[in-house]
Amino acid sequence: MHIPATLVRGGTSKCWLFNQVDVPTDRSELEKLLVAAYGAADPVELDGVGGATPTTSKAAVVSASPEPGVDVDYLFAQVGIGTGSVEWTSNCGNCATGVALYAAAKGMVPIAGDRTRVVMRNTNTGTVLEGLVDTTGGVVQHFGRQTVPGTRAGGVAVGLTFRDPAGGTTGLLFPTGESAQELRVDAAEPTRVSMVDAGAPVVLVDAIHAGRTGAESPERLRADVPWLRAVRHAAAPLMGLLQPGQEPGDAVPKAGLAGPPVAYTTTLGERVAAEDYDVSVRMLTMNAPHPAIGLTSAVAVAAAGLAADSVVSRAASGRAGEWLRLGTPAGVVAVRCSDVREGLPRRVTVQRAARLLADARIYVPDTGAPRAA
């Protein structure tokens, strides 16, 4: 059988987008289809359309939303690599950037002059986002000059805003009630962390306290993957993300390091001075170093920076404010927290770029999965 799909680049991720009318509505049947389409049982995803990295093995199913004031719903899927499974519990802001452009291009929202607003709901988490898509001249653009750290390729400008992101999964910005605390990981000495829920649940380690810098190269961070996984697994039950007896996963909470700004060289060979940004951040994506930063993680870092004693605020030496500049392996990402009430941002915005890469028919081995009605 074959399935219509569109490949998009959103920020620093690639994501296959499917219209809900073309794929099963049943989650287990949809998972079978995605595993087959991506070749996800294979660690190099050779016999499929998967990209064999966490940032290029993603999917989303898009549909018109029944929710008043929301244009489209999208279900995000992090397709496993060599696991033959799909992770459904998280969100991806980079893919949401692509969804906004896709919705405009496919006529799911009316074009509104030079800027078209697309209101999206991530059905995995309930998060509502706005994408402000460049539609200069009242038409959808297929190419653009907006760039983002991590690639020199231009794309269509999309301003992505997370609405009321704090506590989206757990109900609280700081699920344990503490903006920073000691976390015991295995038998090692406790390490200082902030456990945050904004955009996505995230555990951020105080890099200096843990004997790191927060500005590690991807190669150096790779050596810390087992330790950061252990941090993730130790934080998950404290954040209310695990049921009793449930095995911890590798999607939530997202895990990483936060440290003070230092001079460094990006993965594209560009020099960044310490004064060019406010806080160093190094994150994992599943079980690999993120080449830049996931947008949901960026939201969490910025929101944590609003609390005076969080590991982010300490690393930034009090420079956290409406704008927080994150030093990532790929370069500096600026995040804006606005309409802050009682320490909670009502809107968190990041400027991104997207591009439609291909409309395709994906030929999929028959999984027995029924199509949507």
mmCIF file with all atom_site columns, all heavy atoms in Angstrom, residues 241-261:
data_model
loop_
_atom_site.group_PDB
_atom_site.id
_atom_site.type_symbol
_atom_site.label_atom_id
_atom_site.label_alt_id
_atom_site.label_comp_id
_atom_site.label_asym_id
_atom_site.label_entity_id
_atom_site.label_seq_id
_atom_site.pdbx_PDB_ins_code
_atom_site.Cartn_x
_atom_site.Cartn_y
_atom_site.Cartn_z
_atom_site.occupancy
_atom_site.B_iso_or_equiv
_atom_site.pdbx_formal_charge
_atom_site.auth_seq_id
_atom_site.auth_comp_id
_atom_site.auth_asym_id
_atom_site.auth_atom_id
_atom_site.pdbx_PDB_model_num
ATOM 1   N N   . LEU A 1 241 ? 6.073  11.519 36.698 1.00 0.00 ? 241 LEU A N   1
ATOM 2   C CA  . LEU A 1 241 ? 5.993  11.073 35.312 1.00 0.00 ? 241 LEU A CA  1
ATOM 3   C C   . LEU A 1 241 ? 5.969  9.552  35.181 1.00 0.00 ? 241 LEU A C   1
ATOM 4   O O   . LEU A 1 241 ? 5.901  9.034  34.070 1.00 0.00 ? 241 LEU A O   1
ATOM 5   C CB  . LEU A 1 241 ? 7.186  11.624 34.519 1.00 0.00 ? 241 LEU A CB  1
ATOM 6   C CG  . LEU A 1 241 ? 7.288  13.153 34.487 1.00 0.00 ? 241 LEU A CG  1
ATOM 7   C CD1 . LEU A 1 241 ? 8.594  13.583 33.832 1.00 0.00 ? 241 LEU A CD1 1
ATOM 8   C CD2 . LEU A 1 241 ? 6.099  13.754 33.749 1.00 0.00 ? 241 LEU A CD2 1
ATOM 9   N N   . LEU A 1 242 ? 6.037  8.840  36.307 1.00 0.00 ? 242 LEU A N   1
ATOM 10  C CA  . LEU A 1 242 ? 6.005  7.380  36.288 1.00 0.00 ? 242 LEU A CA  1
ATOM 11  C C   . LEU A 1 242 ? 4.921  6.872  37.230 1.00 0.00 ? 242 LEU A C   1
ATOM 12  O O   . LEU A 1 242 ? 4.768  7.369  38.353 1.00 0.00 ? 242 LEU A O   1
ATOM 13  C CB  . LEU A 1 242 ? 7.347  6.799  36.747 1.00 0.00 ? 242 LEU A CB  1
ATOM 14  C CG  . LEU A 1 242 ? 8.521  6.797  35.775 1.00 0.00 ? 242 LEU A CG  1
ATOM 15  C CD1 . LEU A 1 242 ? 9.723  6.148  36.446 1.00 0.00 ? 242 LEU A CD1 1
ATOM 16  C CD2 . LEU A 1 242 ? 8.179  6.066  34.502 1.00 0.00 ? 242 LEU A CD2 1
ATOM 17  N N   . GLN A 1 243 ? 4.196  5.872  36.786 1.00 0.00 ? 243 GLN A N   1
ATOM 18  C CA  . GLN A 1 243 ? 3.273  5.169  37.655 1.00 0.00 ? 243 GLN A CA  1
ATOM 19  C C   . GLN A 1 243 ? 4.056  4.131  38.460 1.00 0.00 ? 243 GLN A C   1
ATOM 20  O O   . GLN A 1 243 ? 5.099  3.656  38.010 1.00 0.00 ? 243 GLN A O   1
ATOM 21  C CB  . GLN A 1 243 ? 2.177  4.477  36.829 1.00 0.00 ? 243 GLN A CB  1
ATOM 22  C CG  . GLN A 1 243 ? 1.317  5.428  36.018 1.00 0.00 ? 243 GLN A CG  1
ATOM 23  C CD  . GLN A 1 243 ? 0.563  6.418  36.878 1.00 0.00 ? 243 GLN A CD  1
ATOM 24  O OE1 . GLN A 1 243 ? 0.087  6.065  37.963 1.00 0.00 ? 243 GLN A OE1 1
ATOM 25  N NE2 . GLN A 1 243 ? 0.457  7.657  36.414 1.00 0.00 ? 243 GLN A NE2 1
ATOM 26  N N   . PRO A 1 244 ? 3.579  3.746  39.647 1.00 0.00 ? 244 PRO A N   1
ATOM 27  C CA  . PRO A 1 244 ? 4.281  2.726  40.439 1.00 0.00 ? 244 PRO A CA  1
ATOM 28  C C   . PRO A 1 244 ? 4.498  1.446  39.632 1.00 0.00 ? 244 PRO A C   1
ATOM 29  O O   . PRO A 1 244 ? 3.575  0.936  38.992 1.00 0.00 ? 244 PRO A O   1
ATOM 30  C CB  . PRO A 1 244 ? 3.329  2.488  41.622 1.00 0.00 ? 244 PRO A CB  1
ATOM 31  C CG  . PRO A 1 244 ? 2.577  3.771  41.755 1.00 0.00 ? 244 PRO A CG  1
ATOM 32  C CD  . PRO A 1 244 ? 2.397  4.282  40.358 1.00 0.00 ? 244 PRO A CD  1
ATOM 33  N N   . GLY A 1 245 ? 5.740  0.968  39.644 1.00 0.00 ? 245 GLY A N   1
ATOM 34  C CA  . GLY A 1 245 ? 6.065  -0.251 38.923 1.00 0.00 ? 245 GLY A CA  1
ATOM 35  C C   . GLY A 1 245 ? 6.376  -0.056 37.455 1.00 0.00 ? 245 GLY A C   1
ATOM 36  O O   . GLY A 1 245 ? 6.807  -0.993 36.782 1.00 0.00 ? 245 GLY A O   1
ATOM 37  N N   . GLN A 1 246 ? 6.189  1.159  36.947 1.00 0.00 ? 246 GLN A N   1
ATOM 38  C CA  . GLN A 1 246 ? 6.436  1.431  35.530 1.00 0.00 ? 246 GLN A CA  1
ATOM 39  C C   . GLN A 1 246 ? 7.922  1.653  35.286 1.00 0.00 ? 246 GLN A C   1
ATOM 40  O O   . GLN A 1 246 ? 8.610  2.293  36.083 1.00 0.00 ? 246 GLN A O   1
ATOM 41  C CB  . GLN A 1 246 ? 5.646  2.664  35.094 1.00 0.00 ? 246 GLN A CB  1
ATOM 42  C CG  . GLN A 1 246 ? 5.723  2.976  33.615 1.00 0.00 ? 246 GLN A CG  1
ATOM 43  C CD  . GLN A 1 246 ? 4.899  4.224  33.256 1.00 0.00 ? 246 GLN A CD  1
ATOM 44  O OE1 . GLN A 1 246 ? 4.417  4.934  34.142 1.00 0.00 ? 246 GLN A OE1 1
ATOM 45  N NE2 . GLN A 1 246 ? 4.755  4.482  31.981 1.00 0.00 ? 246 GLN A NE2 1
ATOM 46  N N   . GLU A 1 247 ? 8.422  1.114  34.182 1.00 0.00 ? 247 GLU A N   1
ATOM 47  C CA  . GLU A 1 247 ? 9.824  1.302  33.820 1.00 0.00 ? 247 GLU A CA  1
ATOM 48  C C   . GLU A 1 247 ? 10.034 2.709  33.249 1.00 0.00 ? 247 GLU A C   1
ATOM 49  O O   . GLU A 1 247 ? 9.224  3.178  32.441 1.00 0.00 ? 247 GLU A O   1
ATOM 50  C CB  . GLU A 1 247 ? 10.249 0.269  32.775 1.00 0.00 ? 247 GLU A CB  1
ATOM 51  C CG  . GLU A 1 247 ? 10.416 -1.134 33.332 1.00 0.00 ? 247 GLU A CG  1
ATOM 52  C CD  . GLU A 1 247 ? 11.554 -1.226 34.333 1.00 0.00 ? 247 GLU A CD  1
ATOM 53  O OE1 . GLU A 1 247 ? 12.634 -0.649 34.071 1.00 0.00 ? 247 GLU A OE1 1
ATOM 54  O OE2 . GLU A 1 247 ? 11.360 -1.850 35.392 1.00 0.00 ? 247 GLU A OE2 1
ATOM 55  N N   . PRO A 1 248 ? 11.113 3.402  33.630 1.00 0.00 ? 248 PRO A N   1
ATOM 56  C CA  . PRO A 1 248 ? 11.365 4.740  33.072 1.00 0.00 ? 248 PRO A CA  1
ATOM 57  C C   . PRO A 1 248 ? 11.708 4.652  31.594 1.00 0.00 ? 248 PRO A C   1
ATOM 58  O O   . PRO A 1 248 ? 12.328 3.683  31.142 1.00 0.00 ? 248 PRO A O   1
ATOM 59  C CB  . PRO A 1 248 ? 12.546 5.255  33.891 1.00 0.00 ? 248 PRO A CB  1
ATOM 60  C CG  . PRO A 1 248 ? 13.229 4.021  34.397 1.00 0.00 ? 248 PRO A CG  1
ATOM 61  C CD  . PRO A 1 248 ? 12.145 3.009  34.606 1.00 0.00 ? 248 PRO A CD  1
ATOM 62  N N   . GLY A 1 249 ? 11.294 5.663  30.842 1.00 0.00 ? 249 GLY A N   1
ATOM 63  C CA  . GLY A 1 249 ? 11.601 5.725  29.422 1.00 0.00 ? 249 GLY A CA  1
ATOM 64  C C   . GLY A 1 249 ? 12.721 6.693  29.141 1.00 0.00 ? 249 GLY A C   1
ATOM 65  O O   . GLY A 1 249 ? 13.356 7.222  30.065 1.00 0.00 ? 249 GLY A O   1
ATOM 66  N N   . ASP A 1 250 ? 12.957 6.966  27.863 1.00 0.00 ? 250 ASP A N   1
ATOM 67  C CA  . ASP A 1 250 ? 14.055 7.851  27.482 1.00 0.00 ? 250 ASP A CA  1
ATOM 68  C C   . ASP A 1 250 ? 13.568 9.071  26.702 1.00 0.00 ? 250 ASP A C   1
ATOM 69  O O   . ASP A 1 250 ? 14.337 9.684  25.980 1.00 0.00 ? 250 ASP A O   1
ATOM 70  C CB  . ASP A 1 250 ? 15.099 7.081  26.674 1.00 0.00 ? 250 ASP A CB  1
ATOM 71  C CG  . ASP A 1 250 ? 15.951 6.188  27.567 1.00 0.00 ? 250 ASP A CG  1
ATOM 72  O OD1 . ASP A 1 250 ? 16.361 6.657  28.639 1.00 0.00 ? 250 ASP A OD1 1
ATOM 73  O OD2 . ASP A 1 250 ? 16.166 5.021  27.214 1.00 0.00 ? 250 ASP A OD2 1
ATOM 74  N N   . ALA A 1 251 ? 12.291 9.409  26.867 1.00 0.00 ? 251 ALA A N   1
ATOM 75  C CA  . ALA A 1 251 ? 11.756 10.594 26.203 1.00 0.00 ? 251 ALA A CA  1
ATOM 76  C C   . ALA A 1 251 ? 11.495 11.718 27.199 1.00 0.00 ? 251 ALA A C   1
ATOM 77  O O   . ALA A 1 251 ? 11.823 12.873 26.938 1.00 0.00 ? 251 ALA A O   1
ATOM 78  C CB  . ALA A 1 251 ? 10.473 10.246 25.457 1.00 0.00 ? 251 ALA A CB  1
ATOM 79  N N   . VAL A 1 252 ? 10.897 11.391 28.343 1.00 0.00 ? 252 VAL A N   1
ATOM 80  C CA  . VAL A 1 252 ? 10.616 12.401 29.367 1.00 0.00 ? 252 VAL A CA  1
ATOM 81  C C   . VAL A 1 252 ? 11.060 11.876 30.729 1.00 0.00 ? 252 VAL A C   1
ATOM 82  O O   . VAL A 1 252 ? 10.931 10.681 31.000 1.00 0.00 ? 252 VAL A O   1
ATOM 83  C CB  . VAL A 1 252 ? 9.126  12.777 29.393 1.00 0.00 ? 252 VAL A CB  1
ATOM 84  C CG1 . VAL A 1 252 ? 8.725  13.525 28.145 1.00 0.00 ? 252 VAL A CG1 1
ATOM 85  C CG2 . VAL A 1 252 ? 8.244  11.557 29.599 1.00 0.00 ? 252 VAL A CG2 1
ATOM 86  N N   . PRO A 1 253 ? 11.580 12.762 31.568 1.00 0.00 ? 253 PRO A N   1
ATOM 87  C CA  . PRO A 1 253 ? 11.874 14.153 31.239 1.00 0.00 ? 253 PRO A CA  1
ATOM 88  C C   . PRO A 1 253 ? 13.080 14.250 30.308 1.00 0.00 ? 253 PRO A C   1
ATOM 89  O O   . PRO A 1 253 ? 13.941 13.372 30.301 1.00 0.00 ? 253 PRO A O   1
ATOM 90  C CB  . PRO A 1 253 ? 12.201 14.774 32.596 1.00 0.00 ? 253 PRO A CB  1
ATOM 91  C CG  . PRO A 1 253 ? 12.772 13.636 33.389 1.00 0.00 ? 253 PRO A CG  1
ATOM 92  C CD  . PRO A 1 253 ? 11.986 12.419 32.955 1.00 0.00 ? 253 PRO A CD  1
ATOM 93  N N   . LYS A 1 254 ? 13.123 15.316 29.544 1.00 0.00 ? 254 LYS A N   1
ATOM 94  C CA  . LYS A 1 254 ? 14.313 15.611 28.773 1.00 0.00 ? 254 LYS A CA  1
ATOM 95  C C   . LYS A 1 254 ? 15.421 15.991 29.755 1.00 0.00 ? 254 LYS A C   1
ATOM 96  O O   . LYS A 1 254 ? 15.137 16.535 30.823 1.00 0.00 ? 254 LYS A O   1
ATOM 97  C CB  . LYS A 1 254 ? 14.035 16.733 27.779 1.00 0.00 ? 254 LYS A CB  1
ATOM 98  C CG  . LYS A 1 254 ? 12.943 16.382 26.762 1.00 0.00 ? 254 LYS A CG  1
ATOM 99  C CD  . LYS A 1 254 ? 12.622 17.536 25.847 1.00 0.00 ? 254 LYS A CD  1
ATOM 100 C CE  . LYS A 1 254 ? 11.438 17.218 24.939 1.00 0.00 ? 254 LYS A CE  1
ATOM 101 N NZ  . LYS A 1 254 ? 11.718 16.147 23.996 1.00 0.00 ? 254 LYS A NZ  1
ATOM 102 N N   . ALA A 1 255 ? 16.661 15.683 29.411 1.00 0.00 ? 255 ALA A N   1
ATOM 103 C CA  . ALA A 1 255 ? 17.746 15.869 30.368 1.00 0.00 ? 255 ALA A CA  1
ATOM 104 C C   . ALA A 1 255 ? 18.894 16.637 29.728 1.00 0.00 ? 255 ALA A C   1
ATOM 105 O O   . ALA A 1 255 ? 19.180 16.473 28.540 1.00 0.00 ? 255 ALA A O   1
ATOM 106 C CB  . ALA A 1 255 ? 18.248 14.508 30.871 1.00 0.00 ? 255 ALA A CB  1
ATOM 107 N N   . GLY A 1 256 ? 19.563 17.471 30.554 1.00 0.00 ? 256 GLY A N   1
ATOM 108 C CA  . GLY A 1 256 ? 20.691 18.221 30.026 1.00 0.00 ? 256 GLY A CA  1
ATOM 109 C C   . GLY A 1 256 ? 21.428 18.987 31.103 1.00 0.00 ? 256 GLY A C   1
ATOM 110 O O   . GLY A 1 256 ? 21.137 18.870 32.301 1.00 0.00 ? 256 GLY A O   1
ATOM 111 N N   . LEU A 1 257 ? 22.400 19.771 30.660 1.00 0.00 ? 257 LEU A N   1
ATOM 112 C CA  . LEU A 1 257 ? 23.268 20.558 31.520 1.00 0.00 ? 257 LEU A CA  1
ATOM 113 C C   . LEU A 1 257 ? 23.015 22.044 31.303 1.00 0.00 ? 257 LEU A C   1
ATOM 114 O O   . LEU A 1 257 ? 22.756 22.481 30.179 1.00 0.00 ? 257 LEU A O   1
ATOM 115 C CB  . LEU A 1 257 ? 24.733 20.285 31.204 1.00 0.00 ? 257 LEU A CB  1
ATOM 116 C CG  . LEU A 1 257 ? 25.252 18.853 31.316 1.00 0.00 ? 257 LEU A CG  1
ATOM 117 C CD1 . LEU A 1 257 ? 26.647 18.774 30.703 1.00 0.00 ? 257 LEU A CD1 1
ATOM 118 C CD2 . LEU A 1 257 ? 25.277 18.401 32.765 1.00 0.00 ? 257 LEU A CD2 1
ATOM 119 N N   . ALA A 1 258 ? 23.129 22.826 32.372 1.00 0.00 ? 258 ALA A N   1
ATOM 120 C CA  . ALA A 1 258 ? 23.101 24.290 32.272 1.00 0.00 ? 258 ALA A CA  1
ATOM 121 C C   . ALA A 1 258 ? 24.318 24.838 32.994 1.00 0.00 ? 258 ALA A C   1
ATOM 122 O O   . ALA A 1 258 ? 24.615 24.435 34.129 1.00 0.00 ? 258 ALA A O   1
ATOM 123 C CB  . ALA A 1 258 ? 21.822 24.850 32.883 1.00 0.00 ? 258 ALA A CB  1
ATOM 124 N N   . GLY A 1 259 ? 25.033 25.741 32.323 1.00 0.00 ? 259 GLY A N   1
ATOM 125 C CA  . GLY A 1 259 ? 26.233 26.312 32.914 1.00 0.00 ? 259 GLY A CA  1
ATOM 126 C C   . GLY A 1 259 ? 26.412 27.765 32.508 1.00 0.00 ? 259 GLY A C   1
ATOM 127 O O   . GLY A 1 259 ? 25.677 28.288 31.660 1.00 0.00 ? 259 GLY A O   1
ATOM 128 N N   . PRO A 1 260 ? 27.398 28.444 33.073 1.00 0.00 ? 260 PRO A N   1
ATOM 129 C CA  . PRO A 1 260 ? 27.637 29.855 32.745 1.00 0.00 ? 260 PRO A CA  1
ATOM 130 C C   . PRO A 1 260 ? 28.174 30.007 31.328 1.00 0.00 ? 260 PRO A C   1
ATOM 131 O O   . PRO A 1 260 ? 28.748 29.065 30.767 1.00 0.00 ? 260 PRO A O   1
ATOM 132 C CB  . PRO A 1 260 ? 28.679 30.282 33.780 1.00 0.00 ? 260 PRO A CB  1
ATOM 133 C CG  . PRO A 1 260 ? 29.365 29.019 34.167 1.00 0.00 ? 260 PRO A CG  1
ATOM 134 C CD  . PRO A 1 260 ? 28.336 27.937 34.086 1.00 0.00 ? 260 PRO A CD  1
ATOM 135 N N   . PRO A 1 261 ? 28.024 31.171 30.732 1.00 0.00 ? 261 PRO A N   1
ATOM 136 C CA  . PRO A 1 261 ? 28.525 31.376 29.369 1.00 0.00 ? 261 PRO A CA  1
ATOM 137 C C   . PRO A 1 261 ? 30.046 31.378 29.329 1.00 0.00 ? 261 PRO A C   1
ATOM 138 O O   . PRO A 1 261 ? 30.707 31.948 30.203 1.00 0.00 ? 261 PRO A O   1
ATOM 139 C CB  . PRO A 1 261 ? 27.953 32.746 28.983 1.00 0.00 ? 261 PRO A CB  1
ATOM 140 C CG  . PRO A 1 261 ? 27.658 33.423 30.276 1.00 0.00 ? 261 PRO A CG  1
ATOM 141 C CD  . PRO A 1 261 ? 27.302 32.350 31.251 1.00 0.00 ? 261 PRO A CD  1
#
